[in-house]
Amino acid sequence: MQKLLAALIAPLAALALAALPDAALAQSRIKDIAAVEGVRSNQLVGYGLVVGLNGTGDSLRNSPFTRQSLEGMMERLGVNIRSSNANTKNLAAVMVTAELPAFSTPGSRIDVSVSTMGDAKSLLGGTLLVTSLQGADGQVYAVAQGSIQTGAVSASGVSGSSVTRGVPTAGRIASGATVERETHFDLANMNEVRLTLRNPDFTTAQRVAAAINGAYPGAAMADNGAVVSLRAPAQLGMAGFISRIENLPVQVDAPAKVVIDEVNGVIVMGENVRISTVAISQGNLTVSVQETPQVSQPAPFSQGQTAVVPQSDVAVEEELGREMRIINGGASLATLVNGLNALGVSPRDMISILQAVKAAGALQAEIEVM
């Protein structure tokens, strides 16, 4: 009897699992749709010199800031070159940028990007000298130095011909900067933090709060469509509390939107896009003008002259066989796409159709043109 029941229940269970909606598969983790307010990276910038270039650096006569930087650096090293006529092309003035990750501690390493400022041709083989990297508050948070990797190839001949692959005037230094100062974001002693949704939506914010309160009652509250306030339970620290809730699954909701890139002919539609009952017809009209010049010659032994007589053939062709298609109200995204594809239109024609349907009030979605 048990074997018989198992044989009957197994197909029914498989059928029930197959009939489940795809909503469970569409769920996202909280860490993928929201970020903790204040936990972010900071931009750093600095000015420095790159040396060791093989004649591809700045021309000191055309780049006065490079000359001034060279003179100031040499004076700090005990060498005075202000009265000399230096014209080397083996160094370049550069801007150095980096991203300081959250919770970076002194001594940790970060990557830096190096870009030329003057008329340098390439940074291949160059070495960045010690450069201080400052934040928006003017404080030094890191110091960069090291060999530059451009990942580009550049070659030129005496005749002026050249070949370039990539961008040789910009490069990176992996782990090229050492962090010297912390940002002092004390998360451990905070009693309350806020989650900010990357795509604000009231429904999603309420679902995030409900998912957190389901695991930790009273720990979350949706302030608005973009912010969810969190309060850690007494037995958990804030870092431990965030690590537990950031993996909770939440079904994300989004408004109906159609994004159109007219330059590249790209259309992106969300799954919630709906269309009311509407009839659509699209046809192409082609006007062609063909010039066939004719040569007019006089009769033999006459006084006339040979002349070219213009002759134009104008034809108008309109594509037939395009019926008006009716798309029923409340159509889903798949039905809408299939209905537009049935018209055999190109992406650029589809853009015009969608804009016309929106103007008619039949497209229940927001259109965003990039």
Side-chain angles (χ1 to χ4, degrees), residues 286-290 313-317:
T286 303
V287 179
S288 60
V289 180
Q290 183 177 4
D313 295 330
V314 180
V316 178
E317 179 182 355

Side-chain angles (χ1 to χ4, degrees), residues 1-360:
M1 179 63 69
Q2 293 179 351
K3 293 183 179 180
L4 180 60
L5 290 175
L8 293 175
I9 293 175
L12 294 176
L15 181 60
L17 291 176
L20 287 176
D22 295 336
L25 301 178
Q27 291 183 340
S28 302
R29 299 178 300 177
I30 292 179
K31 67 190 305 181
D32 299 325
I33 63 175
V36 179
E37 186 180 57
V39 179
R40 61 178 182 84
S41 60
N42 294 272
Q43 288 75 31
L44 305 179
V45 64
Y47 170 82
L49 286 177
V50 172
V51 297
L53 302 177
N54 188 18
T56 59
D58 293 340
S59 174
L60 297 185
R61 296 178 180 177
N62 298 331
S63 302
F65 48 85
T66 306
R67 172 182 288 276
Q68 294 173 6
S69 301
L70 175 61
E71 293 173 351
M73 181 188 68
M74 297 305 294
E75 284 185 356
R76 289 193 298 271
L77 296 177
V79 180
N80 185 4
I81 62 171
R82 289 189 180 275
S83 59
S84 63
N85 189 21
N87 194 28
T88 178
K89 289 188 177 181
N90 293 340
L91 77 159
V94 295
M95 294 300 296
V96 185
T97 58
E99 292 278 341
L100 181 65
F103 310 117
S104 295
T105 57
S108 58
R109 311 283 296 188
I110 57 176
D111 298 342
V112 297
S113 300
V114 183
S115 306
T116 60
M117 294 180 57
D119 56 355
K121 301 298 186 296
S122 175
L123 295 178
L124 182 64
T127 300
L128 175 69
L129 299 182
V130 176
T131 303
S132 300
L133 302 180
Q134 301 178 357
D137 56 358
Q139 300 292 329
V140 176
Y141 286 89
V143 177
Q145 180 174 278
S147 300
I148 301 173
Q149 302 296 325
T150 62
V153 177
S154 178
S156 60
V158 180
S159 62
S161 60
S162 62
V163 176
T164 303
R165 293 290 184 270
V167 183
T169 55
R172 290 182 62 84
I173 306 177
S175 300
T178 304
V179 178
E180 301 292 341
R181 185 193 299 267
E182 295 186 43
T183 55
H184 298 293
F185 186 77
D186 196 1
L187 181 65
N189 294 326
M190 298 180 65
N191 296 324
E192 184 176 339
V193 298
R194 304 202 305 174
L195 294 179
T196 57
L197 299 184
R198 295 187 173 92
N199 296 312
D201 184 81
F202 284 99
T203 303
T204 304
Q206 292 293 339
R207 289 175 180 175
V208 169
I212 297 174
N213 290 329
Y216 303 94
M221 183 182 68
D223 295 342
N224 50 53
V227 176
V228 178
S229 298
L230 301 179
R231 183 176 294 273
Q235 67 275 14
L236 293 176
M238 185 59 69
F241 178 57
I242 293 176
S243 68
R244 296 190 181 189
I245 67 169
E246 66 179 2
N247 291 310
L248 295 177
V250 174
Q251 185 178 354
V252 179
D253 196 14
K257 179 181 290 189
V258 179
V259 180
I260 296 175
D261 184 357
E262 291 188 295
V263 176
N264 299 312
V266 177
I267 305 172
V268 179
M269 291 184 283
E271 64 175 350
N272 295 321
V273 175
R274 294 293 182 270
I275 190 169
S276 302
T277 302
V278 66
I280 302 176
S281 177
Q282 188 270 344
N284 293 325
L285 184 68
T286 303
V287 179
S288 60
V289 180
Q290 183 177 4
E291 297 287 347
T292 308
Q294 301 291 332
V295 178
S296 175
Q297 294 184 347
F301 305 105
S302 64
Q303 301 298 325
Q305 296 180 352
T306 302
V308 177
V309 179
Q311 181 177 353
S312 302
D313 295 330
V314 180
V316 178
E317 179 182 355
E318 184 174 6
E319 189 175 357
L320 302 178
R322 294 293 180 87
E323 299 178 354
M324 181 171 288
R325 302 277 178 170
I326 298 178
I327 300 179
N328 295 325
S332 63
L333 175 61
T335 305
L336 175 60
V337 173
N338 292 333
L340 293 177
N341 288 335
L343 295 173
V345 298
S346 64
R348 298 190 183 277
D349 292 335
M350 195 176 296
I351 291 175
S352 300
I353 292 175
L354 289 174
Q355 291 176 336
V357 173
K358 177 63 176 179

